[in-house]
Amino acid sequence: MKLSSVVVTLILTVGVPYYIYTPLPAAIEEPLKLMLLDAFFRAMLQVGDLCQYLGLSHHITMIRGPTLGLGSPGEMAGGQGGRVRVSDVDFDRVPVRVYEPPAAGGGEGGLRRAVMFYHGGGWALGTTKMGSYDVLCRQMSDELNAVVVSVEYRLAPEVHFPVQYEDCLAAAKHFLEPGILGKLSVDPQRVAVSGDSAGGNLAAAVAQQISVDDSVSVKFSVQALIYPVLQGLDLNTPSHQQNHNIPMLHRFMMARFWLLYLGVDTSLHPILLSPSLLHHPSIPPSVRSHLNWTTLLPAKHIKHYKPVGMETGSWEVTGQEGDLLPGLLDVRAAPLLAEQGVLGRTPRAYILTCEYDVLRDDGLMYTRRLQDAGVAVSSHHYDDGFHGALSFAHSPFYFDVGKRMIRGYMDWLQENL
């Protein structure tokens, strides 16, 4: 055997396992499967970065196709959800996919429940047609006898905040019009807004705006948020510190998605991750109080972690850095920062969080702030959960925790919507 072949074999034998391996908590089931999924996603990101460096394409557009395969199988032609009628239409110029159950009616007068759903993907990835989301929406429509509207909002890098939010809000307002609800035989008292990850961010923000908009006569009756991202000012919460390198959402990835969403230069990545950002003098004390995890989080989630960073900023935000804070301070991008008066008008909530997720504390702090504002909240925490697990509830990338999440989510909607 030639020396070059030996070297290549040695590199592959040592290098591939080293690249794949990520230390994982013992509570996570099937760690090797999760490591392989994570390695694939990281590899796609790195290939995308290389393509962008070479001027071939933006790194996000490069990885959109391959990442579609990370969820459940594609559109279902039969089985559970196969009887659901699916149509692709526009709501106020925003593309949506409408799922209608086979049953003619549900509640009083033959009216049905409804769910408006926003998919996740860091405001840059994902689609209503992605296997895991299509399967979930079909299952919701069939099992809950509900009209489900999945919104195909525009994505970064083609557009940036607040366009994604505005698309989702426009679709929601159109759907909530009495005439549209009547045409779809939807009970106006039983309409939910829901989403996962970045979609949970959009669902929370839209729920807040609809709740205070007096021009909208029909309001959402519940909000169901699945491991939502709710703020970007403090990426040093206990969950960010504990899970900074846990699949499927590493801390550095979350920072990149925030920069992409806000449309600011990726060179600001170190600033966004810096613990001093939250303590910049231009940030009002009230904002810090809304993010004070030392008082908002249960002790069992604070653990041994301590607040980090300067009490007062010693640097000024200018130029491109000045483009970062306005977006992070905007409640349309960071629903956790909303005032109590707004939170108190939002509908009762279901919030799903995972122990091994950088976004865990966003959901837990929002739970506490909603409860303090008088909103009834059902907090469902999965001690063995990881970010994105809901999308892995079916083969070929099956995780039992994902199946349990879907079951808990469905049961809550069945009982509360």
Side-chain angles (χ1 to χ4, degrees):
M1 183 180 292
K2 294 182 180 180
L3 179 60
S4 59
S5 299
V6 173
V7 172
V8 170
T9 302
L10 181 61
I11 291 174
L12 291 176
T13 303
V14 177
V16 171
Y18 179 81
Y19 184 82
I20 293 174
Y21 179 72
T22 299
L24 295 177
I28 292 182
E29 62 173 319
E30 298 188 77
L32 180 58
K33 185 192 296 185
L34 186 57
M35 288 181 204
L36 289 170
L37 285 169
D38 181 59
F40 172 79
F41 187 54
R42 284 186 286 113
M44 290 300 98
L45 285 174
Q46 289 162 356
V47 169
D49 287 341
L50 177 61
C51 290
Q52 183 166 318
Y53 176 78
L54 296 175
L56 300 177
S57 70
H58 193 281
H59 72 277
I60 288 294
T61 57
M62 179 65 191
I63 68 174
R64 276 181 182 157
T67 55
L68 289 179
L70 285 179
S72 302
E75 298 178 11
M76 301 168 64
Q80 186 177 32
R83 301 174 298 163
V84 171
R85 177 188 173 194
V86 180
S87 55
D88 295 315
V89 299
D90 287 351
F91 278 8
D92 194 16
R93 298 185 297 278
V94 178
V96 299
R97 174 164 279 201
V98 180
Y99 300 80
E100 296 182 69
E108 185 177 350
L111 297 179
R112 306 174 291 196
R113 293 179 279 205
V115 180
M116 173 155 276
F117 188 84
Y118 304 131
H119 68 78
W123 307 285
L125 302 172
T127 169
T128 60
K129 301 174 180 63
M130 185 173 175
S132 57
Y133 294 122
D134 184 67
V135 169
L136 176 62
C137 290
R138 288 172 185 265
Q139 184 177 349
M140 276 196 286
S141 182
D142 190 36
E143 187 172 325
L144 302 176
N145 190 36
V147 174
V148 178
V149 178
S150 185
V151 181
E152 193 76 89
Y153 58 90
R154 288 172 286 177
L155 302 172
E158 289 80 8
V159 299
H160 303 287
F161 174 78
V163 174
Q164 290 89 332
Y165 163 82
E166 290 173 343
D167 279 358
C168 291
L169 180 63
K173 286 185 174 182
H174 181 88
F175 184 44
L176 292 173
E177 291 178 6
I180 300 299
L181 295 176
K183 182 179 179 180
L184 292 169
S185 298
V186 170
D187 185 343
Q189 302 300 317
R190 305 174 76 187
V191 184
V193 62
S194 182
D196 72 312
S197 193
N201 167 282
L202 295 166
V206 167
Q208 289 180 8
Q209 179 57 34
I210 292 295
S211 71
V212 298
D213 189 342
D214 293 334
S215 69
V216 180
S217 60
V218 178
K219 308 292 186 182
F220 289 115
S221 57
V222 300
Q223 54 183 321
L225 314 179
I226 302 168
Y227 36 73
V229 50
L230 298 168
Q231 60 86 27
L233 272 174
D234 188 0
L235 301 190
N236 291 279
T237 63
S239 61
H240 275 285
Q241 295 182 59
Q242 172 185 294
N243 304 310
H244 68 279
N245 201 35
I246 298 293
M248 292 288 294
L249 182 64
H250 299 255
R251 180 170 171 261
F252 81 90
M253 291 181 186
M254 189 65 254
R256 289 185 66 170
F257 281 130
W258 267 114
L259 295 172
L260 190 61
Y261 183 37
L262 298 179
V264 297
D265 196 284
T266 54
S267 65
L268 298 180
H269 193 270
I271 294 176
L272 187 57
L273 291 174
S274 171
S276 64
L277 179 62
L278 181 60
H279 303 287
H280 189 271
S282 66
I283 297 178
S286 61
V287 169
R288 295 194 192 98
S289 70
H290 297 338
L291 295 172
N292 186 0
W293 51 262
T294 64
T295 60
L296 293 173
L297 290 179
K300 67 177 181 178
H301 294 299
I302 294 177
K303 301 178 182 178
H304 61 279
Y305 296 103
K306 304 290 184 183
V308 292
M310 301 177 296
E311 287 302 319
T312 58
S314 60
W315 39 269
E316 295 182 359
V317 177
T318 58
Q320 286 185 317
E321 295 175 359
D323 295 333
L324 183 58
L325 282 177
L328 294 175
L329 290 169
D330 194 318
V331 294
R332 297 174 299 172
L336 182 57
L337 304 184
E339 296 300 326
Q340 290 292 91
V342 173
L343 296 180
R345 296 179 65 177
T346 60
R348 65 186 185 278
Y350 167 94
I351 299 180
L352 184 156
T353 54
C354 299
E355 180 61 27
Y356 302 111
D357 179 7
V358 293
L359 301 180
R360 179 198 70 195
D361 294 345
D362 283 22
L364 293 176
M365 287 192 287
Y366 199 54
T367 295
R368 173 64 183 277
R369 292 211 62 221
L370 285 173
Q371 290 172 335
D372 289 347
V375 177
V377 183
S378 296
S379 177
H380 288 218
H381 183 73
Y382 288 82
D383 289 327
D384 58 343
F386 58 89
H387 191 83
L390 193 85
S391 294
F392 300 109
H394 305 276
S395 61
F397 305 116
Y398 171 82
F399 287 89
D400 181 68
V401 66
K403 185 176 182 179
R404 284 186 278 118
M405 285 179 184
I406 288 183
R407 184 73 271 137
Y409 173 67
M410 291 289 186
D411 288 347
W412 188 88
L413 288 173
Q414 188 75 263
E415 295 173 7
N416 293 273
L417 178 59

